[in-house]
């Protein structure tokens, strides 16, 4: 390739930092090799499948195909062993590999690009990369779900306060709370599976945008590359980046779930709550305050969500309003996806470790579960069930009991029977059976409720699917 570097003086308006003319800037804005070298393995796999198909269809000779495949495999090991020199002048991974192939095998290298364009080539490489990343994400979410299932099983009976508005609401079990996250990450994983189905079509052979006059076999390359089938519209094929946006939106939703978990861990591990204690492996100390144990990993997971959301918005904005088919704007897709993928992987891995390692303080949770009049709803339900009151009236009676307990500085269960009967004459000493937190959670047997028996059913449901 000719060296087009221009040595005339730099542009007066914006060339201060450039030693040479505008070509240096052009090279800098144009080149993607700095980040798309990550796609080398996918690029080589795609080229081997393409060359093999070209020979099978009689478009190139078997000898040329053998040289091409051998040369590409050599390049693969050169890159893997760090013995490949990437050149920015060659713009991107596709041209870096093709130029090296020409050096290695001579003129036969020039036949590889028959019946294809960098437009379908990059669409292929990136799709293969995103597909592998989705498969990795699916496995990692399965690991996180498994960690929660183990903790849920261990704590199917451990009571804790359930919150709404972060105010004590009703007692729940820690196992039930863990299973809430299993539902969230289970939905994330099913979104990942759907995304794999959506992108499972091979772009190669769409060529620049219109298809090709060569008698290629796109079903053959699709099969060789592990895709379900080839894409059906060559214009859409080189224009589409919604597979990448779908990955980012799934990452953003999962990141949002992870950030809620991160926030709960931050709250639970404060000395004031003391519900969990993070292992040394997932916390840090303070350089000035010796008593501190900081939940840095959880905080960073919470923060990674910001990066992932940024990537989603960036790519949506890059793609918005682009005319069909390919435009160079689309080269900006990769860094967003690479960065979000790295953040998501780290966040899931850190959370899986934290969930597995943290020590759960069941005594603290139980004590907190009983405070804040958390069994008030149970008293109201008892009045409906045993004394036949309409729920609204029962709610009012219970409110008076809570106010009285509050003024006496005691719990509902500590109010003397005479006090309760003064509020409503139908109350008997049987009411004390429902005022404990254990009785409260055990009574909530409705499907999906917090009773240990129900939680165990949900654990069994997910174990069979994990
Ligand atoms: N580096 C380019 C990208 O990532 C490859 C495709 C270039 N195609 C073109 N027509 N210039 O998008």
């Amino acid at each position: 390739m000719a060296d087009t570097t221009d040595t005339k003086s730099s542009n007066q308006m914006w060339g201060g930092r450039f030693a040479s003319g505008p070509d240096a800037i052009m090279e800098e804005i144009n080149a993607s090799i700095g980040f798309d070298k990550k796609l080398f393995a996918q690029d080589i796999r795609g080229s081997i499948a393409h060359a093999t198909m070209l020979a099978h269809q009689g478009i190139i000779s078997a000898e040329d195909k053998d040289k091409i495949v051998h040369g590409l495999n050599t390049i693969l090991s050169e890159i893997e062993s760090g013995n490949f020199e990437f050149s920015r002048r060659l713009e991107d991974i596709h041209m870096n590999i093709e130029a090296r192939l020409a050096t290695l095998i001579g003129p036969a290298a020039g036949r590889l690009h028959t019946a294809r364009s960098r437009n379908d080539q990059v669409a292929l490489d990136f799709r293969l990369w995103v597909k592998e990343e989705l498969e990795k994400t699916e496995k990692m979410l399965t690991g996180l779900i498994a960690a929660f299932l183990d903790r849920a099983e261990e704590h199917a009976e451990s009571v804790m306060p359930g919150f709404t508005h972060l105010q004590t609401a009703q007692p729940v079990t820690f196992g039930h709370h863990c299973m809430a996250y299993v539902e969230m990450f289970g939905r994330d994983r099913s979104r990942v599976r759907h995304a794999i189905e959506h992108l499972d079509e091979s772009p190669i052979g769409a060529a620049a945008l219109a298809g090709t006059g060569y008698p290629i076999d796109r079903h053959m390359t699709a099969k060789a590359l592990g895709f379900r089938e080839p894409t059906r519209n060559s214009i859409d094929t080189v224009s589409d980046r919604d597979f990448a946006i779908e990955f980012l939106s799934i990452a953003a939703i999962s990141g949002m779930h992870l950030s809620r978990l991160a926030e709960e861990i931050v709250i639970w591990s404060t000395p004031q709550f003391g519900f969990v204690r993070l292992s040394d492996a997932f916390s840090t100390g303070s350089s000035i305050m010796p008593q501190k144990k900081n939940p840095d990993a959880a905080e960073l997971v919470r923060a990674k969500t910001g990066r992932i959301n940024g990537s989603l918005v960036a790519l949506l904005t890059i793609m918005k309003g682009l005319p069909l088919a390919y435009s160079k704007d689309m080269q900006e897709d990769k860094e967003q996806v690479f960065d979000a993928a790295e953040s998501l992987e780290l966040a899931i891995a850190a959370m899986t470790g934290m969930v597995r390692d943290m020590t759960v303080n069941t005594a603290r949770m139980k004590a907190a579960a009983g405070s804040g009049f958390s069994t008030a709803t149970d008293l109201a339900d008892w009045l409906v069930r045993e004394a036949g009151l309409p729920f609204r009236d029962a709610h009012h009676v219970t409110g008076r009991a809570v106010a009285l307990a509050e003024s006496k500085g005691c719990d509902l269960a500590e109010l003397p029977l005479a006090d309760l009967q003064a509020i409503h004459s139908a109350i008997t000493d049987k009411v004390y059976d429902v005022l404990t937190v254990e009785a409260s959670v055990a009574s909530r047997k409705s499907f999906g409720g917090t009773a240990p028996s129900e939680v165990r059913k949900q654990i069994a449901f997910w174990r069979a699917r994990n």
Side-chain angles (χ1 to χ4, degrees), residues 89-410:
R89 193 165 311 141
L90 292 166
E91 221 181 292
D92 57 23
I93 186 63
H94 323 296
M95 298 209 284
N96 267 268
I97 289 176
E98 204 181 315
R100 177 69 184 141
L101 189 63
T103 314
L104 284 174
I105 69 166
R111 301 202 181 271
L112 172 61
H113 214 52
T114 313
R116 80 170 184 190
S117 142
R118 273 190 297 155
N119 296 350
D120 56 341
Q121 194 178 351
V122 73
L124 168 67
D125 296 0
F126 199 28
R127 233 177 230 249
L128 284 172
W129 194 93
V130 172
K131 189 178 171 190
E132 284 165 32
E133 191 59 32
L134 284 165
E135 285 163 354
K136 201 188 278 180
T137 308
E138 184 187 358
K139 285 205 187 74
M140 294 189 74
L141 287 171
T142 298
L144 179 55
I145 291 170
F148 268 118
L149 286 173
D150 289 348
R151 298 318 301 254
E153 195 139 35
E154 192 186 327
H155 291 288
E157 316 247 348
S158 311
V159 285
M160 71 179 281
F163 300 95
T164 60
H165 313 265
L166 200 55
Q167 306 284 325
T168 302
Q170 293 171 343
V172 295
T173 63
F174 184 60
H176 194 213
H177 200 100
C178 288
M179 292 306 290
Y181 282 105
V182 168
E183 294 289 335
M184 290 176 242
F185 295 122
R187 285 193 297 276
D188 291 344
R189 187 176 57 180
S190 89
R191 272 183 274 274
V192 167
R193 288 175 180 158
H194 283 134
I196 294 174
E197 260 177 54
H198 287 161
L199 67 57
D200 208 6
E201 297 174 350
S202 171
I204 194 74
L209 81 164
T212 175
Y214 294 99
I216 59 170
D217 183 349
R218 294 192 58 210
H219 290 89
M220 181 177 170
T221 38
K223 192 161 176 229
L225 292 164
F227 287 108
R228 190 181 56 231
E229 58 196 334
T231 54
R232 282 170 305 278
N233 182 298
S234 59
I235 298 175
D236 172 53
T237 303
V238 295
S239 309
D240 165 41
R241 288 295 181 272
D242 42 77
F243 65 90
I245 294 174
E246 199 167 358
F247 170 75
L248 290 174
S249 52
I250 293 167
I253 293 173
S254 200
M256 174 274 296
H257 286 150
L258 287 160
S259 79
R260 298 183 74 172
L261 172 59
E263 173 69 1
E264 296 209 307
I265 288 178
V266 169
I267 294 172
W268 291 343
S269 62
T270 57
Q272 288 75 8
F273 265 75
F275 287 4
V276 301
R277 207 182 136 78
L278 290 176
S279 68
D280 289 351
F282 285 100
S283 40
T284 61
S286 156
S287 53
I288 176 167
M289 297 164 282
Q291 85 283 10
K292 291 198 75 181
K293 194 165 185 190
N294 296 328
D296 297 42
E299 293 165 76
L300 287 163
V301 168
R302 195 170 57 184
K304 294 279 181 207
T305 319
R307 292 175 76 119
I308 297 173
N309 290 352
S311 294
L312 171 62
V313 173
L315 190 52
L316 282 169
T317 311
I318 289 162
M319 295 306 295
K320 177 193 172 293
L322 277 192
L324 306 187
Y326 178 85
S327 296
K328 197 61 175 264
D329 311 50
M330 291 159 70
Q331 177 165 285
E332 293 282 317
D333 54 2
K334 292 167 208 66
E335 285 166 292
Q336 302 304 333
V337 170
F338 294 158
D339 187 78
E342 194 182 318
S343 297
L344 184 65
E345 274 186 39
L346 262 175
I348 300 175
M351 269 309 170
T352 308
M354 270 183 273
V355 169
R356 283 215 175 278
D357 277 17
M358 67 191 180
T359 311
V360 178
N361 190 334
T362 49
R364 271 305 272 262
M365 282 185 176
K366 190 181 160 171
S371 71
F373 313 108
S374 65
T375 55
T377 319
D378 298 275
L379 172 55
D381 287 340
W382 187 90
L383 287 163
V384 170
R385 205 172 51 243
E386 305 296 328
L389 267 66
F391 183 78
R392 281 291 157 223
D393 296 348
H395 185 283
H396 187 76
V397 169
T398 305
R400 289 181 55 204
V402 167
L404 181 65
E406 203 167 27
S407 71
K408 290 194 157 192
C410 69

